[in-house]
Amino acid sequence: ALAERTNLAGVRHILLVLSGKGGVGKSTISTELALALRSAGKRVGILDVDLCGPSIPRMLRVQDSAVHQCDSGWVPVFVGQDKAIALMSIGFLLERPDDAVVWRGPKKNALIKQFVTDVAWGDLDFLIVDTPPGTSDEHISTVEALRPYQLLGAILVTTPQ
Amino acid sequence: LAAQLSLSLTECPGTGSAQAGRAAACQGCPNQGLCAAGAAGPDPAEAAELRARLRAVRHTVLVLSGKGGVGKSTFSALLAHGLAADETKQVALLDIDICGPSIPKMMGLEGEQVHQSGSGWSPVYVEENLGVMSVGFLLSSPDDAVIWRGPKKNGLIKQFLRDVDWGEVDYLIVDTPPGTSDEHLSIVQYLSATHIDGAVIVTTPQEVSLQDVRKEINFCRKVKLPIIGVVENMSGFVCPKCKNESQIFPPTTGGAEKMCQNLNVSLLGKVPLDPQIGKSCDRGQSFLAEAPESPATLSYRNIIQRIQEYCEQHHFQEEKIM
């Protein structure tokens, strides 16, 4: 419980990027939003909870990075030009980039909880949470795990059709 | 210390499988205890029920991706229309995207409901020889969100297979949501009661899509699902005014063609972007019928024919063996 409070305690605003529909640009918007906020001098983190199709590492050119552990949990990978955006994604935990993560709900839920409570985010102005399409396990678990914290709100992405 | 999570190809064996709770992949899963203590294997009565129900299905094709928004549902709908153009063939389209069911709208069936008869749930018929089933037909309003965890989704998928009275079917096409999770594991598991001809995998040309699609190809290999081939959608755009071709989603890493070469799978075809496709889908009309002269229609028709040939050849080989 102490670790939980420490790891997200320094995060001022948490934003969810949602859609329902796939392929509309959630990960793209999450990435651009993070970069823009960073440009504006904010401290930013991205949590990629798309476990089956994690796109953020490639978008930030860090597909080959690894995650390390510290006393308070997992250390996020620092990305961006000044290496100042903190990123956590299942993409970093795969042995090979083409490995399929073929998990049913309970196992996905367990990892999402770990991502929320065990990543040492430090002090952030914004934590952007990128999600997969749908309204299922990942979404329910993410919202449940983030409930005790300052959830600013959700941005919904769509295309015109 | 680098976090060493062995996630490669770790796969849930299925809560109903004999390996439930005991496979290597079960380590660390919160359900492990429940599964290991539970039923020793799949319910034989259930498997028999599914087998009986699906006995009259000749060919089954899964439409998969890994990536969202690449045109799985569009392709599934057009494949169904294309196959049903032969009035002697009975076609069934099953939509197992529980959270985002697109098929009812694309087939012009929004607002339709499922009726029950003595022999089970009736599919909704678009044509006499084209029946459709989707969770979309079970919602009281099209905007109702289905916010279900995996097990409940699996339950509905099983019902779709067990309780829908499809009758005699030449082609069962199954449209799936993006990913490699509950729905995908379940459909492969439940359909093992019948036989799946194979999967058609849909992508768009850019690397961000391909990287998810490679995972899907690995999923198919892992569960021993034959891959009929890959379809590359949104592959180029020809301006109707100046006829100039542009790559809206540039294939920065060689597109589906390169990926198929590298992974030794068949490229069934490339379909260009045609704004009429989206319009037809929104209006619930068959794009093939509305735009018969479009290069996209030609591509789709070629692809559909290749799929048909694959299925017929496969069946012929099976019969030879038997």
Side-chain angles (χ1 to χ4, degrees), chain B:
Chain B
L1 291 163
Q4 296 233 314
L5 282 134
S6 175
L7 298 174
S8 57
L9 299 177
T10 47
E11 167 207 329
C12 167
T15 53
S17 114
Q19 283 301 303
R22 297 185 185 93
C26 299
Q27 294 301 317
C29 174
N31 254 20
Q32 187 180 15
L34 271 168
C35 285
D43 182 351
E46 215 167 59
E49 251 186 314
L50 283 172
R51 239 190 329 268
R53 193 56 108 166
L54 299 170
R55 197 191 306 277
V57 174
R58 288 189 77 219
H59 298 293
T60 302
V61 175
L62 260 52
V63 181
L64 304 173
S65 180
K67 188 84 183 86
V70 295
K72 284 179 293 313
S73 297
T74 305
F75 185 76
S76 300
L78 294 179
L79 178 58
H81 275 300
L83 292 169
D86 177 351
E87 285 168 7
T88 68
K89 297 279 188 261
Q90 194 68 29
V91 181
L93 178 54
L94 172 59
D95 176 9
I96 62 167
D97 188 340
I98 313 269
C99 297
S102 302
I103 296 291
K105 175 167 270 301
M106 289 184 177
M107 301 299 282
L109 299 174
E110 263 203 324
E112 294 286 341
Q113 298 203 301
V114 171
H115 299 279
Q116 282 202 334
S117 72
S119 41
W121 294 5
S122 294
V124 179
Y125 286 91
V126 175
E127 313 281 350
E128 257 189 60
N129 68 333
L130 175 44
V132 180
M133 182 53 63
S134 166
V135 76
F137 300 136
L138 306 173
L139 304 175
S140 31
S141 146
D143 298 344
D144 284 347
V146 178
I147 311 171
W148 291 355
R149 287 193 184 278
K152 207 160 171 183
K153 291 195 282 187
N154 300 335
L156 184 62
I157 292 170
K158 201 192 313 188
Q159 270 199 287
F160 277 164
L161 292 171
R162 191 191 60 204
D163 296 345
V164 174
D165 180 21
W166 295 106
E168 298 238 345
V169 170
D170 292 287
Y171 291 96
L172 170 62
I173 297 154
V174 185
D175 184 33
T176 63
T180 49
S181 188
D182 284 276
E183 297 89 331
H184 312 88
L185 283 168
S186 293
I187 194 71
V188 168
Q189 214 184 314
Y190 299 142
L191 284 178
S192 63
T194 176
H195 111 107
I196 307 178
D197 289 61
V200 173
I201 304 184
V202 184
T203 186
T204 46
Q206 74 273 41
E207 177 56 26
V208 165
S209 295
L210 298 175
Q211 79 178 355
D212 288 351
V213 170
R214 287 189 202 98
K215 293 175 162 57
E216 196 74 21
I217 290 173
N218 278 327
F219 165 81
C220 290
R221 293 190 163 144
K222 182 68 179 171
V223 299
K224 301 197 181 11
L225 177 56
I227 298 171
I228 302 176
V230 171
V231 174
E232 185 181 80
N233 267 342
M234 308 189 200
S235 190
F237 170 72
V238 177
C239 173
K241 294 208 167 125
C242 70
K243 311 295 178 193
N244 218 354
E245 181 169 345
S246 317
Q247 289 296 330
I248 308 290
F249 298 103
T252 60
T253 56
E257 195 161 343
K258 187 94 197 292
M259 177 188 71
C260 287
Q261 269 170 21
N262 290 345
L263 296 179
N264 199 26
V265 298
S266 194
L267 176 64
L268 293 172
K270 300 196 228 188
V271 184
L273 251 175
D274 183 332
Q276 182 64 42
I277 299 174
K279 273 194 229 173
S280 296
C281 285
D282 276 6
R283 296 202 332 241
Q285 299 298 319
S286 164
F287 166 74
L288 304 177
E290 296 216 300
E293 306 298 321
S294 164
T297 299
L298 185 60
S299 289
Y300 276 130
R301 289 205 184 280
N302 284 339
I303 292 167
I304 292 170
Q305 189 172 354
R306 290 187 66 177
I307 294 170
Q308 232 170 330
E309 284 165 9
Y310 177 97
C311 290
E312 296 298 328
Q313 188 188 53
H314 197 106
H315 192 81
F316 178 64
Q317 284 177 341
E318 275 235 328
E319 287 185 331
K320 273 177 84 174
I321 292 168
M322 279 151 64

Side-chain angles (χ1 to χ4, degrees), chain A residues 50-127:
Chain A
D50 188 341
L51 303 184
C52 296
S55 302
I56 308 276
R58 167 160 284 270
M59 289 185 176
L60 288 165
R61 296 225 296 228
V62 289
Q63 313 86 284
D64 302 321
S65 300
V67 167
H68 298 269
Q69 290 187 319
C70 65
D71 284 340
S72 22
W74 295 355
V75 181
V77 173
F78 288 92
V79 304
Q81 270 200 322
D82 52 357
K83 300 272 177 255
I85 297 177
L87 170 60
M88 183 53 66
S89 167
I90 203 179
F92 300 134
L93 305 173
L94 302 174
E95 274 179 32
R96 279 174 307 254
D98 298 343
D99 285 346
V101 173
V102 186
W103 291 355
R104 289 190 183 274
K107 205 160 175 178
K108 292 198 281 187
N109 300 337
L111 186 64
I112 287 172
K113 270 173 75 176
Q114 271 197 283
F115 272 175
V116 170
T117 61
D118 293 355
V119 174
W121 294 107
D123 291 327
L124 296 178
D125 296 299
F126 291 95
L127 177 62

